[in-house]
Amino acid sequence: MNATHSWNPIRRTSVYHELLELGAVMADSEGWRLPLHFGDAKQESETVRSSVGLTDVSANRKWEIKGVDLESSIRSSSVDAPLPGHVVSTDFGWLCRISHKHALLVSGQDDPTILSHIKNQCSDESCTHLLDRTDGLINLRLSGPRASPLLSKLGAFDLRESAFPDLRCLCGPMAGIQTFLVRRDQYELPGYEVLFSSEYGSYLLDAIAEAGKEFQIRPYGRDATKLLED
Amino acid sequence: MDRLDSHPVEVIDRSGRVSFQFDGRTVQAHPGDTVGSALLASGLRIFSRSFKYHRPRGLLCVSGNCPNCLMNVNGVPNVRVCTRPVEEGDQVVPQHCWPSLRWDAMALIEKVDFLLPVGFYYKTLYRARWLWKLAEPIVRRVAGLGRVDSSRSPAGHYEREHLFAEVAVVGGGPAGLAAAQAAAEAGAEVVLVDEQPELGGHLRFERAKLEDPISGETGEGFELARSLAEKVKNNERIRVLSPARAFGGYEGNLIGVALADRLVHLRADRLIVATGSFEFPGLFKNNDLPGIMLGSGVRKLLNLYRLKPGKRAVVVASNDEDLALALELHEAGISVVAAVDQRLESSDSALIRQLKQLQIPHLPCFAPVAARGRSDVRALEVAPVDAEGCLELDKSRSFPCDLVCISTGRSPSVELLRQNGGKVRFDPNLNQNVLDSIPSDFSAAGHINGLKDPALILLQGRIAGLEAAESMHPLGVDLKEQLQKLRDNLDQGRSDWRETVVPSVLFTTSSAVKQLVCLCEDVTRKDIDNAIAEGFDEMELLKRYTTSSMGPCQGRMCSMLVAGSCAQALDRDLTTPGTTTSRPPVHPVPLGVLAGPHHYPVKLTPMHHRHLEAGAHQMDLGEWKRPHTYTSSENEWEAVRKRVGIIDVTTLGKLEVQGRDAPQLLDLIYTHIFSTLKVGRIRYGVICGEDGIIVDDGTVSRIAEDHYYITTTTGNISFIESWMEWWAVVYGYCAHVTNVTGDFAAVNLAGPNARDVLSKLTDIDISSDAFKYMRFEQGEVAGIPSRLLRIGFVGETGWEIHVPSSYGEYLWDTLMEAGEEFGILPFGVETQRILRLEKQHLIVGQDTDALSNPLEAGMQWVVKFEKEDFIGKHFLDLVQSEGRRNRLVGFVTDELVKEGSAVVTAQTPVGRVTSARMSPILNRCVGMAWVPEELAEDGANFDISHHDSLVSAQVHQAPFYDPTGARLRE
């Protein structure tokens, strides 16, 4: 082993081991080791449709954007800057406006277009600051009709349709941990992105699983996601 | 006891059988029975013994409001068996009696009741002092109700739920059902809470023929109840929580609800309280004998469980609706020997005529004087009464009976409203408390408002539901018109009804003894009179002195009786005494339900599973799990000092500070100067509070002109993040602070061979000249983008390597593999503590406390007084000018002393040991301690208190290991 060795670093999310214990069959994808399925992708997708499923999407890239010039920086990319508490969903992913000076950008792409526009705004004259939080924030996704009653057991969130429709976001404690909660419906089902500090990954996954027992929650992997998309 | 003939009103399933154990015998029941109804059916009359005098008590309310049927069920004490559904295999045991319910030896206490008036413990057993010492163990043993089995692990899996609704309805009786239905019809999302397993409230056991004024549906009361309940349960806009108890009202329209083992936080835009009302007992001699029951309780037993609670009954009531119980009893085959009517005017209503037809003696303007019997009621003595409540005892009559049904007083169940600011007043016309004001966002409907007519109750419920929904969903024209019509009908109905109300007497002036005012605490009318005579003449004082209404019923059975007794003793009317403050919980709530699920946050590093696989003994450091040791601290120490060791330091707090004013912010926060720190350099920093006391320490690396990377202590990251954000806002700095603790996995690779290991994994020039101590570099290690910090907490050549946390395990594996040829070992927190102590590197929070400033902690060098200002400067200026009083010093001793031991001079503690360990280097104990300034000279001796003797220690100011720091800089 020496400095000229060809390295093949593998990335694992902070709930990697817990997902293995749940029966995850892993596969490598763009440097990440992620769950392909948990034994039966069809059943996983059916559980999502009928009740609630949980998947780890922490491999998504995430950036926190802070600063008083946040709004103009976003607009420079020709994206409508959402109001605080609102989310904009586009081809690159989604942008969640947490407050006037704070936003979270999540994307499946390494370098989405909006990012380069925002980077261009970061200068001595502008108060716009970007920070890669891909590893700092774990991103779990809950999908299905029972996702919201499950979340109601973990935090004082008003998740009624009238209060928290699709493409909204909020910050609040979930099982005692500060989280970002984003409503993003997919596959014609209600869906929630739950983002929180990665060191709590195992703890909050357990809490979600415990709360989800009454709804027969199941983890699901990439194969089930494809079935849901079809 | 045989059951009455089957009837559709019943809730028992006669085709099924359930058996349970009671006090050593097997009892048979039907599904649908409660433990109480099954025990009554088996012939039990005495269900409990009273708290103080151990008087026999039987079923009274059959509603879960009184204390008379508390038993131990399956190891859980104080279960109200009158409402507890029976389950197969239940183990039911009576409590608070010895040797049995029927023959309780403790009942002898009542013979000396004159020695035990209320408040006796304030006045006796303290002179001589030894009296209380003697009496206290006995009093403690005898006192209390029920026993907690501390060996039994708590059953139940507790959960929590947060519910939001547009309209919350508390109470699933006719008013609540009508309100929920109406609100849902108008478009609102509704949550309905009801404490019974079946919806319908008192209509569940009502057999009178009724008509629903809204739907026009007719039927017996229980049929209408079931029909209404079905509609509500099938309504998609209504979520029903049942059986669930709303136990408290809190700020922000929050209601606490206990739903089995789940605590529900229910918050609604509008709340409708339809919790009904409850009867309370009458006040006469021996009013607590078994066989004396509330009328509503008797009707439940007759109808729901098809039981005959007695053979010869006297009914005591104040209106036709309640006197009608006499007809039900008669129909059930129970001989009704008298219908005692406490109204002050006789009437010739249809009911009275029916009683006459059935030859049931009707006694208008009569009231009870005394109940006769020892272990249960055998007769009731009654006498004529006038408007002032005076009994004409010379005209009294006695009726042999084994059942007395009391329906002479009602209280609205207004606790939730009062907890939110609602007020009640006494209405002398209705002879009960009524709501005087209701908090905004709340409304009340049904029995709670004093209504008795089911049609009016339904009307009022519907009006409440429509009005509640209207504020959020404007009503259509039809509903608007309907609402107005309903209001008009209700007003007319109430007006008509009020005209039919005949005044009745609520309390008689009899001064007979053994009138139990508070059943829970055995407080008698005489006790109340005596307390008032002693000066406790306000309701709140009376409550606290006599303990009335402080028992299991929380005033439901007794607060009106106390108010009535108080009013009579003071010769005032009932509008004067008022009520005591209502506080949550209204009903008993298990502590487990309030505590909720066990959510103890735990933080794990990305390498956590590797530590477990390596056999690490884990320890808790705040929320983090960290390895204490892997093998032994000796082994690990040797690896670090002689070869190479690796420790997971991911738990260190980490912050990114970005912005053009980041340098100014750090200069303000830290005592050192960071605006002059060059890019690629690291500086140690100390943070003080405004009082100059050390709050935290760590390293600051400059990544760019406007970008710093900061480490803090493990436990203080949240505070430091807030602290920095606060000051950035105060000064209006463009400086943005982000907690990136979880973003980076970090290891400290340290030891003479650390460079050898690292050089195998990176192209970065890590030679001693190129990568000096206290420098920062970014580059790749094993193909991972990394931050390298050349620092050394443990005193050896070493680097902290910070990588994106998703690479943590990979980095650990790669370093261990690369270090194998050099004998690398992982080391834990314990070993790190020894290593850093040998260097006298302090740990904030361990070696410092709330009085420690950097000047006295030996860190003068980090305090830059030349700065114009920094947090804590003013107080540190004072310390500097006045001189140090104490100092943190290193010391050596021959014997290992305990951390926290006192430093002693002339038998007086003058300091303390903060850290102490055996050092393999010196083969002696080394440590750090706070000592007075005069003892802080190098080589000075001082004593440490250790195991009742003194150990001699010597000040050693230089680090015990590598005092020049040469190893660090190699």
Side-chain angles (χ1 to χ4, degrees):
Chain A
M1 187 185 285
N2 56 42
T4 59
H5 181 88
S6 171
W7 305 105
N8 189 22
I10 277 292
R11 303 175 82 161
R12 297 178 177 91
T13 74
S14 69
V15 290
Y16 170 82
H17 289 276
E18 286 72 20
L19 294 178
L20 275 181
E21 278 172 31
L22 290 171
V25 171
M26 299 286 186
D28 289 350
S29 169
E30 295 175 20
W32 289 86
R33 192 153 288 169
L34 299 169
L36 212 49
H37 62 82
F38 289 80
D40 187 336
K42 186 159 180 289
Q43 257 202 343
E44 291 160 34
S45 65
E46 277 167 11
T47 302
V48 173
R49 290 235 171 259
S50 63
S51 181
V52 56
L54 169 84
T55 191
D56 180 8
V57 288
S58 301
N60 281 340
R61 298 296 304 274
K62 309 167 208 77
W63 295 267
E64 269 192 77
I65 313 159
K66 290 184 179 180
V68 296
D69 295 324
L70 170 67
E71 176 117 0
S72 53
S73 299
I74 295 171
R75 288 222 196 98
S76 72
S77 65
S78 307
V79 170
D80 279 335
L83 291 169
H86 289 246
V87 180
V88 150
S89 188
T90 72
D91 305 340
F92 61 76
W94 44 276
L95 178 74
C96 159
R97 186 85 176 268
I98 297 161
S99 74
H100 285 291
K101 295 192 291 188
H102 188 189
L104 183 67
L105 172 64
V106 179
S107 175
Q109 302 165 16
D110 274 347
D111 195 7
T113 324
I114 183 176
L115 190 68
S116 43
H117 284 285
I118 292 172
K119 275 182 186 169
N120 288 342
Q121 299 298 312
C122 297
S123 67
D124 284 345
E125 288 77 38
S126 160
C127 181
T128 304
H129 308 280
L130 202 59
L131 198 59
D132 188 333
R133 300 300 313 281
T134 302
D135 287 75
L137 293 174
I138 176 172
N139 185 179
L140 301 177
R141 190 179 156 75
L142 285 163
S143 298
R146 309 302 288 161
S148 104
L150 186 160
L151 288 167
S152 297
K153 292 170 73 174
L154 296 170
F157 308 119
D158 187 353
L159 300 177
R160 292 175 293 167
E161 196 63 42
S162 51
F164 201 66
D166 191 21
L167 297 180
R168 290 290 174 90
C169 63
L170 59 86
C171 290
M174 186 183 294
I177 306 300
Q178 199 63 10
T179 56
F180 298 122
L181 185 65
V182 179
R183 171 104 183 247
R184 275 187 73 233
D185 295 350
Q186 283 183 330
Y187 335 121
E188 292 171 354
L189 292 167
Y192 299 86
E193 313 276 347
V194 181
L195 297 104
F196 53 97
S197 287
S198 59
E199 63 265 34
Y200 288 114
S202 173
Y203 161 75
L204 200 50
L205 182 72
D206 281 348
I208 292 172
E210 191 64 36
K213 266 186 189 157
E214 76 170 279
F215 310 111
Q216 288 89 50
I217 187 173
R218 276 186 88 124
Y220 66 99
R222 281 197 338 231
D223 288 352
T225 303
K226 286 195 186 117
L227 288 175
L228 288 163
E229 283 166 356
D230 290 339
Chain B
M1 182 187 294
D2 290 335
R3 305 263 180 168
L4 294 167
D5 290 343
S6 182
H7 189 281
V9 71
E10 68 190 33
V11 297
I12 54 173
D13 173 10
R14 295 183 192 240
S15 66
R17 285 256 170 224
V18 177
S19 61
F20 64 97
Q21 295 297 309
F22 172 69
D23 207 18
R25 62 182 172 95
T26 303
V27 179
Q28 299 295 328
H30 294 296
D33 260 322
T34 62
V35 172
S37 63
L39 287 173
L40 187 72
S42 77
L44 191 70
R45 289 276 277 182
I46 300 174
F47 276 66
S48 69
R49 289 282 175 164
S50 68
F51 179 60
K52 187 168 157 190
Y53 295 128
H54 289 251
R55 291 169 63 87
R57 294 278 170 83
L59 289 180
L60 174 66
C61 70
V62 197
S63 299
N65 288 324
C66 78
N68 280 13
C69 64
L70 296 174
M71 293 188 179
N72 186 306
V73 179
N74 299 334
V76 178
N78 298 333
V79 174
R80 284 172 160 117
V81 297
C82 65
T83 53
R84 166 49 164 83
V86 70
E87 288 172 22
E88 179 68 38
D90 276 338
Q91 302 285 328
V92 182
V93 177
Q95 52 185 40
H96 202 59
C97 60
W98 184 83
S100 70
L101 277 172
R102 186 134 189 93
W103 302 103
D104 183 8
M106 296 299 287
L108 290 171
I109 288 179
E110 201 175 4
K111 303 286 182 211
V112 293
D113 61 353
F114 57 93
L115 291 175
L116 307 167
V118 286
F120 76 92
Y121 31 82
Y122 299 125
K123 305 168 192 169
T124 57
L125 301 174
Y126 67 92
R127 239 187 244 154
R129 280 180 183 248
W130 56 264
L131 261 178
W132 180 240
K133 281 199 174 131
L134 201 65
E136 188 185 0
I138 301 170
V139 171
R140 285 193 182 279
R141 198 174 164 75
V142 166
L145 206 56
R147 293 264 177 262
V148 173
D149 181 0
S150 54
S151 67
R152 187 176 155 272
S153 49
H157 169 72
Y158 300 107
E159 293 193 311
R160 191 155 285 170
E161 187 178 352
H162 298 265
L163 270 187
F164 292 81
E166 288 179 317
V167 177
V169 180
V170 182
L177 290 173
Q181 183 72 2
E185 253 178 64
E189 297 159 3
V190 181
V191 172
L192 171 69
V193 181
D194 187 51
E195 62 183 18
Q196 300 297 332
E198 295 293 332
L199 300 175
H202 66 278
L203 279 190
R204 289 184 306 132
F205 46 91
E206 176 61 66
R207 288 175 50 191
K209 284 231 174 331
L210 303 171
E211 180 183 345
D212 183 338
I214 296 142
S215 65
E217 204 176 328
T218 57
E220 289 181 62
F222 71 92
E223 289 169 332
L224 283 185
R226 288 176 189 169
S227 167
L228 260 175
E230 207 52 37
K231 285 181 194 149
V232 162
K233 282 191 277 194
N234 292 334
N235 193 317
E236 280 180 2
R237 288 190 172 278
I238 303 174
R239 177 166 170 194
V240 177
L241 302 179
S242 155
R245 298 199 112 163
F247 60 81
Y250 303 89
E251 203 180 331
N253 291 2
L254 176 65
I255 302 286
V257 178
L259 173 67
D261 285 342
R262 179 177 296 195
L263 173 61
V264 179
H265 294 236
L266 172 60
R267 218 180 273 272
D269 299 306
R270 292 293 302 266
L271 296 105
I272 301 171
V273 180
T275 43
S277 62
F278 46 86
E279 290 179 320
F280 55 85
L283 201 54
F284 48 89
K285 183 179 176 183
N286 290 327
N287 57 336
D288 64 333
L289 280 173
I292 299 177
M293 299 179 62
L294 298 177
S296 53
V298 172
R299 296 183 70 217
K300 276 188 190 167
L301 292 171
L302 279 179
N303 292 306
L304 297 179
Y305 309 107
R306 303 302 285 157
L307 289 169
K308 288 160 73 165
K311 294 186 176 117
R312 290 172 65 86
V314 174
V315 175
V316 186
S318 300
N319 54 65
D320 276 2
E321 292 84 9
D322 292 325
L323 265 182
L325 176 59
L327 300 179
E328 287 189 55
L329 291 168
H330 178 84
E331 191 194 324
I334 297 172
S335 171
V336 183
V337 299
V340 177
D341 191 342
Q342 284 190 195
R343 284 177 289 192
L344 294 170
E345 291 167 19
S346 51
S347 107
D348 190 31
S349 63
L351 172 75
I352 306 299
R353 289 196 295 276
Q354 267 186 291
L355 290 175
K356 280 190 178 139
Q357 242 179 334
L358 294 171
Q359 294 178 324
I360 295 173
H362 173 236
L363 298 154
C365 311
F366 267 70
V369 175
R372 310 273 178 228
R374 283 177 63 115
S375 55
D376 56 358
V377 68
R378 295 298 165 99
L380 185 72
E381 183 186 346
V382 299
V385 63
D386 65 22
E388 277 74 50
C390 291
L391 289 162
E392 295 175 48
L393 294 172
D394 54 329
K395 294 177 187 163
S396 72
R397 295 167 62 177
S398 188
F399 293 90
C401 60
D402 62 356
L403 173 65
V404 177
C405 310
I406 304 283
S407 292
T408 52
R410 273 194 170 270
S411 264
S413 183
V414 290
E415 294 92 343
L416 288 180
L417 290 163
R418 290 183 58 218
Q419 285 164 11
N420 280 277
K423 301 226 183 303
V424 295
R425 63 175 171 79
F426 184 76
D427 184 334
N429 293 322
L430 295 178
N431 245 352
Q432 70 170 69
N433 280 334
V434 295
L435 283 165
D436 197 31
S437 69
I438 297 180
S440 59
D441 292 342
F442 282 76
S443 54
H447 254 167
I448 196 175
N449 281 327
L451 294 179
K452 287 195 165 43
D453 183 344
L456 295 182
I457 288 172
L458 287 166
L459 274 181
Q460 194 173 56
R462 185 160 179 85
I463 291 168
L466 290 175
E467 285 175 347
E470 190 180 20
S471 57
M472 289 158 281
H473 300 270
L475 299 179
V477 171
D478 288 348
L479 277 179
K480 261 196 176 144
E481 276 177 14
Q482 190 197 93
L483 179 57
Q484 191 50 51
K485 208 167 157 197
L486 291 173
R487 284 173 179 149
D488 295 338
N489 288 348
L490 178 65
D491 287 342
Q492 186 62 49
R494 283 183 96 157
S495 176
D496 292 344
W497 165 67
R498 273 189 177 270
E499 283 175 17
T500 66
V501 173
V502 176
S504 62
V505 67
L506 196 51
F507 299 108
T508 60
T509 54
S510 166
S511 61
V513 294
K514 283 296 178 289
Q515 295 185 32
L516 275 297
V517 171
C518 174
L519 296 172
C520 296
E521 306 283 323
D522 273 349
V523 177
T524 65
R525 188 152 181 184
K526 193 169 170 217
D527 289 328
I528 299 287
D529 290 344
N530 287 343
I532 290 171
E534 288 180 45
F536 300 96
D537 55 2
E538 299 288 335
M539 282 293 283
E540 295 281 8
L541 286 177
L542 205 51
K543 168 186 166 179
R544 281 154 179 78
Y545 184 65
T546 65
T547 71
S548 57
S549 80
M550 291 169 88
C553 87
Q554 289 288 287
R556 293 194 142 202
M557 296 289 102
C558 62
S559 59
M560 278 304 296
L561 300 183
V562 175
S565 304
C566 182
Q568 288 201 332
L570 296 170
D571 198 23
R572 295 176 192 163
D573 64 41
L574 265 165
T575 56
T576 319
T579 54
T580 53
T581 306
S582 174
R583 296 185 178 89
V586 172
H587 307 285
V589 183
L591 286 175
V593 171
L594 292 174
H598 293 180
H599 281 157
Y600 301 123
V602 172
K603 294 185 192 177
L604 302 178
T605 76
M607 291 82 93
H608 173 77
H609 290 85
R610 290 292 184 261
H611 304 322
L612 292 181
E613 286 161 17
H617 300 111
Q618 296 286 99
M619 64 184 282
D620 292 331
L621 260 174
E623 292 178 339
W624 289 100
K625 295 282 184 197
R626 292 198 73 182
H628 179 265
T629 46
Y630 294 81
T631 51
S632 70
S633 52
E634 291 81 14
N635 250 8
E636 293 164 22
W637 178 94
E638 191 175 338
V640 177
R641 286 280 183 246
K642 296 183 182 169
R643 304 189 303 277
V644 57
I646 179 173
I647 181 170
D648 180 358
V649 293
T650 303
T651 64
L652 283 173
K654 307 173 202 69
L655 296 168
E656 304 259 5
V657 181
Q658 296 168 288
R660 62 175 170 271
D661 297 324
Q664 285 75 19
L665 177 66
L666 298 188
D667 278 355
L668 176 69
I669 299 283
Y670 286 91
T671 60
H672 215 313
I673 303 176
F674 288 97
S675 51
T676 58
L677 182 67
K678 293 194 173 105
V679 172
R681 301 287 176 97
I682 304 172
R683 197 166 277 169
Y684 174 73
V686 167
I687 298 175
C688 290
E690 291 166 282
D691 52 5
I693 299 302
I694 298 171
V695 165
D696 203 56
D697 72 345
T699 61
V700 179
S701 307
R702 195 162 193 173
I703 299 177
E705 287 301 314
D706 63 348
H707 189 181
Y708 292 83
Y709 181 58
I710 291 168
T711 64
T712 73
T713 59
T714 294
N716 247 350
I717 178 61
S718 298
F719 171 74
I720 298 300
E721 181 190 2
S722 303
W723 187 246
M724 287 195 180
E725 283 179 336
W726 164 260
W727 285 107
V729 168
V730 166
Y731 278 73
Y733 285 147
C734 172
H736 301 276
V737 182
T738 308
N739 182 343
V740 293
T741 302
D743 294 51
F744 293 95
V747 300
N748 183 11
L749 186 71
N753 294 127
R755 185 175 279 115
D756 300 314
V757 174
L758 191 53
S759 62
K760 291 166 75 173
L761 303 176
T762 183
D763 283 338
I764 300 171
D765 186 350
I766 56 171
S767 63
S768 174
D769 290 330
F771 202 145
K772 287 187 171 24
Y773 184 62
M774 298 302 273
R775 294 291 167 95
F776 171 90
E777 283 263 6
Q778 297 192 90
E780 283 196 358
V781 173
I784 310 167
S786 309
R787 292 176 174 180
L788 277 81
L789 290 74
R790 175 101 193 259
I791 50 181
F793 190 51
V794 298
E796 296 293 338
T797 301
W799 285 262
E800 275 188 18
I801 307 167
H802 295 225
V803 299
S805 56
S806 57
Y807 291 112
E809 247 182 31
Y810 171 79
L811 176 72
W812 183 271
D813 292 345
T814 313
L815 284 166
M816 288 296 289
E817 193 188 332
E820 200 179 339
E821 66 175 285
F822 303 104
I824 192 171
L825 277 187
F827 65 101
V829 171
E830 176 58 23
T831 308
Q832 187 191 49
R833 291 224 162 125
I834 300 170
L835 292 162
R836 68 94 194 174
L837 193 53
E838 289 176 330
K839 289 292 293 179
Q840 289 190 27
H841 286 160
L842 68 79
I843 294 177
V844 170
Q846 164 98 21
D847 301 304
T848 68
D849 58 28
L851 298 175
S852 309
N853 63 69
L855 301 180
E856 292 180 334
M859 293 194 287
Q860 307 83 292
W861 55 276
V862 301
V863 183
K864 301 302 177 189
F865 286 103
E866 60 267 35
K867 284 199 289 187
E868 190 183 333
D869 193 18
F870 59 85
I871 296 164
K873 183 170 191 245
H874 173 71
F875 281 95
L876 289 174
D877 276 334
L878 284 174
V879 173
Q880 196 175 47
S881 63
E882 288 175 10
R884 291 182 294 221
R885 292 182 202 182
N886 299 289
R887 198 118 60 99
L888 181 67
V889 298
F891 68 85
V892 288
T893 69
D894 290 324
E895 206 175 323
L896 176 63
V897 293
K898 278 176 89 165
E899 291 173 349
S901 301
V903 172
V904 175
T905 298
Q907 296 182 327
T908 305
V910 293
R912 70 178 177 94
V913 172
T914 62
S915 299
R917 290 289 192 281
M918 289 303 292
S919 163
I921 287 278
L922 300 183
N923 218 14
R924 296 176 78 188
C925 170
V926 301
M928 297 171 82
W930 284 94
V931 300
E933 180 64 21
E934 58 271 20
L935 290 180
E937 289 306 311
D938 199 27
N941 289 314
F942 61 87
D943 291 328
I944 296 172
S945 171
H946 179 67
H947 290 152
D948 296 330
S949 62
L950 296 177
V951 170
S952 180
Q954 197 176 52
V955 175
H956 194 294
Q957 286 196 355
F960 309 102
Y961 173 75
D962 183 31
T964 62
R967 294 284 286 237
L968 275 174
R969 288 169 173 77
E970 273 175 11

